Amino acid sequence: MKKVKKRSLICVKNINKYGHRVLLDDLKADKYTSMIPKLSDKTTGTVIDSIQEKLSKGLRIEKDQVYFYIRGHIMMIFYWEFYHISASIFRMKAISFISLC
């Protein structure tokens, strides 16, 4: 269905017809959409329905949803601090090893 939808959208964009104005003859006239198996009048309807479903899913208001966003510079600070902490731990281990010898 994904390929059918993509190819149908490209076809209707090229012929500049949208929605219920797209006819089966328009789809059969296109080089690629004519190769869709089981191409029928219902094809455009299923494509329209799937797009409407996607839009309604994207516009739905979510409840109790938490998004975490960490900006790039904050992550760079974290990595920089992690580097210095790990380097200082390594130095402390090296010093303690040398003092034992």
Side-chain angles (χ1 to χ4, degrees):
M1 182 63 190
K2 185 177 180 181
K3 290 181 181 181
V4 172
K5 187 170 31 175
K6 182 178 180 181
R7 199 57 238 176
S8 299
L9 290 174
I10 291 171
C11 174
V12 298
K13 184 179 177 185
N14 290 340
I15 63 174
N16 202 20
K17 280 187 178 180
Y18 300 98
H20 65 277
R21 293 182 184 92
V22 179
L23 303 173
L24 182 61
D25 297 332
D26 298 328
L27 295 177
K28 286 185 178 181
D30 187 57
K31 178 180 177 182
Y32 296 105
T33 53
S34 62
M35 290 188 270
I36 295 174
K38 300 179 185 174
L39 185 64
S40 66
D41 291 328
K42 295 180 183 178
T43 306
T44 54
T46 56
V47 170
I48 291 170
D49 291 341
S50 67
I51 291 172
Q52 286 177 344
E53 183 181 332
K54 248 188 202 179
L55 286 173
S56 65
K57 186 185 262 187
L59 295 174
R60 189 177 316 132
I61 297 173
E62 296 178 354
K63 296 179 183 176
D64 300 328
Q65 184 69 28
V66 179
Y67 294 102
F68 292 104
Y69 175 70
I70 300 176
R71 291 191 171 176
H73 67 279
I74 294 172
M75 290 302 293
M76 292 304 293
I77 292 169
F78 171 74
Y79 289 134
W80 185 255
E81 289 176 354
F82 181 75
Y83 169 76
H84 285 291
I85 291 170
S86 61
S88 64
I89 290 172
F90 178 76
R91 273 189 243 116
M92 288 188 323
K93 285 184 177 180
I95 290 171
S96 64
F97 179 75
I98 292 171
S99 64
L100 290 175
C101 293

